[in-house]
Amino acid sequence: MNKILLFYPPGALFQRGEDRCQQNVDDGSAQAMRACNDLGYAAAVLLNKHYEVKLRDYQTEGATMEDLHRDLTEYRPDLIMMSITNTTIFDDLKLINEIKDKYSPIVVLKGALFYAPEQAMLDLLDLSHVDYMIGGEVDFAIGEVADYALRGEGKIEDVLSILYKDENGGFKRTAFHTWGEDLDSRPFPARELMNNALYKRPDTDEPMATIQTARGCPSNCVFCLTPEISGKRVRFRSPENVLAEMTECYERHGIKNFFFKADTFTINPDWVQKMCRLIIDSPLHGKIQFTANSRVRPLSKETLQLMKEAGCFLVAFGFESGSDEILKLIKKGTTVEENLQAAKWCHELKLPFWGFFVIGFPWETREHILKTKKLILKADPDFIEVTIALPFYGTPLYDTCKDNNLLAESVLGSDFFHSSMRGTMHLTIDELMKLRRNILLSFYLRPKYIFKKMGECVTHPGVFINYCKYGIKLVVNLFKS
């Protein structure tokens, strides 16, 4: 039986399973590592095809390169698949070259970087030791890639959204911008191979599973890769299928907390209502809790109330900016008034919420960013993150930055906290970083905020300890040189 190793490499913590936000977890303000669902989906597909599979998230385990090499020596996989990020790609390729030279496995790289990539970008990378690159949805590709590479079965040119090495050493592309439709037919991630205890709810440290409820986003945000990678038409799983995965997590793995992964969980109010009603009417009600991302449009107070009744303990909004001018320029499709309305509803319902904000868009001035700070303090979320705009290849933001000479270097190797940009048309990158620090400290160090969080933790000392850990991490990161 052919052996396959699926892994995240040792090193700093990155959300390697994400397509649009491959967050640097170590340098963020309050992010927790999410489950390695991309590896889990791949493992489930391969197990169904009767491959022997080993799955390791070395980075989140805190494992070392010695651990990786020990596994390669003892397990001797015929094929390996490693998830990469834009930020880590150069180090990832150095590691792959070393592995290929020493152990000679078939090498598959998985990452959004390889979705319909520009040839000029590929030319920057040493791909000489790579055999296949999966740029799209891994569960619609890895099984067919393995069958072709290991068993000589199928037609590689029919596999969606990949690049494969031809007989001359060059790479050929298959069809991009075409997606698998039947999400209910996908197996659930192979959590029996995942170390589920690694992926924790930030406040309680309890295991938290990621469940992808939908793929695709109809929005036009200039900075986001999702419409390019997953399509502008949202493909939903049935609520019944989602509930079945939740039930498996609860009954087989003892997991009671869930992150519903969707680019906007609330985009279809009817779907959300059916999902929440199913949970409320199920044996899981009162035993599980979940968090989800949402846009402020479309949204209603009734939807948020039903989500809370079903077990939602926190909702996350991509507010992005406190300037209507900037919201229009980034094609967010929302307004500052709608941002404040969503915040008001959450406060009224006593539903905690997270606010995500981005500064450093090409057109931004200091005044624009101060409006964002004003929005943050007025909306008063429970938690916030402020990142620097990152112009991914393939996004309109990248083209705008390139056209206006705002790129200091290649976007490869950069992240939300170590930007590849020179700054905006009006502010330097150093000025942006100082503004980010000012916003975060002004928000989190308010006596009102600190006493509020202390009050919430009176009966939950463990939660208070975790808040303190994240607070210390925030301050340390903000004052690192």
Side-chain angles (χ1 to χ4, degrees), residues 112-283:
L113 183 64
F114 302 127
Y115 196 88
E118 296 179 6
Q119 187 59 48
M121 185 275 290
L122 292 178
D123 290 342
L124 299 173
L125 305 175
D126 176 9
L127 300 170
S128 59
H129 290 60
V130 178
D131 300 296
Y132 301 89
M133 293 173 276
I134 298 175
E137 296 167 344
V138 67
D139 48 344
F140 284 100
I142 187 60
E144 290 75 10
V145 169
D147 283 349
Y148 180 82
L150 297 173
R151 296 172 176 169
E153 298 175 358
K155 295 181 179 180
I156 195 64
E157 60 269 21
D158 292 340
V159 183
L160 296 179
S161 306
I162 70 166
L163 292 88
Y164 63 95
K165 188 169 286 184
D166 63 20
E167 60 276 6
N168 298 317
F171 282 97
K172 291 186 176 180
R173 303 164 185 243
T174 63
F176 286 86
H177 304 106
T178 301
W179 296 275
E181 292 295 328
D182 186 4
L183 299 187
D184 282 4
S185 70
R186 300 294 86 191
F188 302 153
R191 291 187 174 88
E192 67 273 17
L193 298 184
M194 296 161 60
N195 185 349
N196 298 297
L198 293 173
Y199 314 107
K200 300 176 181 179
R201 177 171 157 172
D203 55 347
T204 66
D205 266 353
E206 297 172 298
M208 185 162 72
T210 296
I211 293 184
Q212 185 147 21
T213 61
R215 306 182 190 186
C217 181
S219 302
N220 297 303
C221 305
V222 300
F223 54 87
C224 186
L225 282 167
T226 294
E228 172 74 6
I229 295 170
S230 297
K232 291 182 68 67
R233 184 174 63 81
V234 182
R235 293 163 290 142
F236 293 94
R237 292 171 62 184
S238 68
E240 293 81 3
N241 188 250
V242 173
L243 184 64
E245 185 175 349
M246 295 173 67
T247 301
E248 179 185 273
C249 287
Y250 182 83
E251 293 181 349
R252 291 185 57 188
H253 305 291
I255 300 173
K256 303 175 183 178
N257 297 280
F258 300 93
F259 167 55
F260 284 159
K261 180 183 176 183
D263 291 284
T264 173
F265 180 73
T266 56
I267 194 73
N268 184 334
D270 291 339
W271 187 94
V272 175
Q273 289 181 20
K274 186 174 182 182
M275 183 74 251
C276 289
R277 293 292 180 197
L278 271 178
I279 295 173
I280 291 168
D281 294 337
S282 79

Side-chain angles (χ1 to χ4, degrees), residues 173-429:
R173 303 164 185 243
T174 63
F176 286 86
H177 304 106
T178 301
W179 296 275
E181 292 295 328
D182 186 4
L183 299 187
D184 282 4
S185 70
R186 300 294 86 191
F188 302 153
R191 291 187 174 88
E192 67 273 17
L193 298 184
M194 296 161 60
N195 185 349
N196 298 297
L198 293 173
Y199 314 107
K200 300 176 181 179
R201 177 171 157 172
D203 55 347
T204 66
D205 266 353
E206 297 172 298
M208 185 162 72
T210 296
I211 293 184
Q212 185 147 21
T213 61
R215 306 182 190 186
C217 181
S219 302
N220 297 303
C221 305
V222 300
F223 54 87
C224 186
L225 282 167
T226 294
E228 172 74 6
I229 295 170
S230 297
K232 291 182 68 67
R233 184 174 63 81
V234 182
R235 293 163 290 142
F236 293 94
R237 292 171 62 184
S238 68
E240 293 81 3
N241 188 250
V242 173
L243 184 64
E245 185 175 349
M246 295 173 67
T247 301
E248 179 185 273
C249 287
Y250 182 83
E251 293 181 349
R252 291 185 57 188
H253 305 291
I255 300 173
K256 303 175 183 178
N257 297 280
F258 300 93
F259 167 55
F260 284 159
K261 180 183 176 183
D263 291 284
T264 173
F265 180 73
T266 56
I267 194 73
N268 184 334
D270 291 339
W271 187 94
V272 175
Q273 289 181 20
K274 186 174 182 182
M275 183 74 251
C276 289
R277 293 292 180 197
L278 271 178
I279 295 173
I280 291 168
D281 294 337
S282 79
L284 295 183
H285 188 230
K287 301 175 183 176
I288 61 92
Q289 292 187 306
F290 66 89
T291 180
N293 294 330
S294 175
R295 283 175 60 89
V296 300
R297 181 205 296 176
L299 187 67
S300 69
K301 185 176 181 180
E302 291 71 28
T303 295
L304 292 172
Q305 187 170 19
L306 187 60
M307 288 170 60
K308 183 179 180 183
E309 184 181 349
C312 183
F313 69 88
L314 181 143
V315 62
F317 295 108
F319 292 126
E320 319 305 2
S321 176
S323 162
D324 281 318
E325 180 185 359
I326 294 299
L327 289 172
K328 287 179 182 178
L329 286 168
I330 66 174
K331 299 183 179 180
K332 182 67 181 179
T334 59
T335 65
V336 173
E337 182 180 353
E338 288 169 329
N339 286 341
L340 289 170
Q341 180 64 79
K344 181 174 181 287
W345 285 335
C346 286
H347 285 302
E348 290 173 351
L349 294 169
K350 293 182 171 52
L351 175 60
F353 68 104
W354 194 307
F356 287 96
F357 301 87
V358 182
I359 63 173
F361 291 113
W363 317 274
E364 280 196 301
T365 63
R366 181 179 297 274
E367 288 68 32
H368 289 130
I369 294 174
L370 292 178
K371 286 184 178 181
T372 296
K373 179 181 178 180
K374 180 180 178 181
L375 168 65
I376 290 171
L377 296 176
K378 188 172 183 180
D380 195 21
D382 290 84
F383 309 97
I384 66 168
E385 179 61 279
V386 180
T387 60
I388 305 298
L390 186 61
F392 288 110
Y393 277 107
T395 62
L397 179 61
Y398 173 80
D399 295 332
T400 299
C401 291
K402 186 177 180 180
D403 292 344
N404 288 276
N405 195 31
L406 294 176
L407 297 176
E409 52 189 273
S410 168
V411 296
L412 300 179
S414 61
D415 62 37
F416 293 112
F417 313 113
H418 307 89
S419 181
S420 57
M421 295 176 62
R422 300 179 189 276
T424 74
M425 298 176 190
H426 310 281
L427 297 165
T428 67
I429 190 62

Side-chain angles (χ1 to χ4, degrees), residues 91-103:
D91 288 336
D92 292 340
L93 286 173
K94 287 179 183 177
L95 176 59
I96 284 298
N97 291 349
E98 181 182 345
I99 292 173
K100 185 78 166 184
D101 284 339
K102 190 170 183 179
Y103 304 101

